[in-house]
Amino acid sequence: MAQALAGVPLFSGLSRRQLRRLAEAGREVSVKEGSRIVGEGEPEDDLFVILEGEARVVDRAGRTLSRLLPGDFFGEISLLDGGARTATVLAETPMALLKIDRAGVARIVKEDPGVGLRMLEELARRLRRMERPLAG
């Protein structure tokens, strides 16, 4: 499981030990094709990493915003701020996911602040990329 996390941009730069601890904090879950994994506005705070399968992110009108593949992740915003989900994610195929809860990540970050710093750096890079078209 730690090897799967190594390919996730959110965890880039983490050591094998740190990845192993994150993997141990999570649990693998299976999702059937067509299932709603998370719903916009729901008060959940788990992070999901796609191990197998495909999903799509949709808005309230059901329009597809993006597609997610193995190695992609979602739920990072709710994981970090504890707020409601910002989008709905639907399983397009049967899926295997690594589910990591907020309490598990908080425990790891408390014990090893470097994990939190690496995650924040990656989220800042993502935010910067998203803002470039706006500044254009």
Side-chain angles (χ1 to χ4, degrees):
M1 205 68 67
Q3 187 173 0
L5 291 177
V8 175
L10 183 63
F11 305 128
S12 65
L14 294 183
S15 70
R16 287 184 202 174
R17 181 184 62 79
Q18 291 169 325
L19 291 168
R20 193 171 41 255
R21 294 201 57 223
L22 274 170
E24 290 168 358
R27 65 184 176 90
E28 190 171 338
V29 295
S30 297
V31 177
K32 294 179 181 181
E33 179 179 346
S35 297
R36 186 179 77 187
I37 304 166
V38 299
E40 184 175 354
E42 293 176 353
E44 299 175 30
D45 56 11
D46 301 313
L47 170 76
F48 293 89
V49 178
I50 300 175
L51 303 173
E52 297 174 10
E54 298 178 18
R56 64 186 174 110
V57 180
V58 299
D59 64 14
R60 289 179 188 231
R63 291 181 301 242
T64 299
L65 302 174
S66 65
R67 297 208 177 273
L68 303 172
L69 303 169
D72 288 335
F73 59 93
F74 57 94
E76 71 278 7
I77 295 171
S78 294
L79 176 87
L80 292 172
D81 73 4
R85 296 290 183 191
T86 60
T88 296
V89 178
L90 305 171
E92 290 281 282
T93 66
M95 299 182 72
L97 305 166
L98 177 63
K99 181 179 181 179
I100 305 173
D101 67 29
R102 187 169 196 244
V105 172
R107 185 178 61 252
I108 291 168
V109 169
K110 184 176 180 182
E111 294 168 5
D112 185 350
V115 172
L117 180 60
R118 297 286 190 284
M119 291 171 65
L120 286 173
E121 288 169 346
E122 177 56 30
L123 290 171
R125 279 190 286 276
R126 293 178 97 197
L127 182 59
R128 186 179 300 276
R129 283 191 304 268
M130 289 175 14
E131 287 182 336
R132 280 189 189 136
L134 299 175

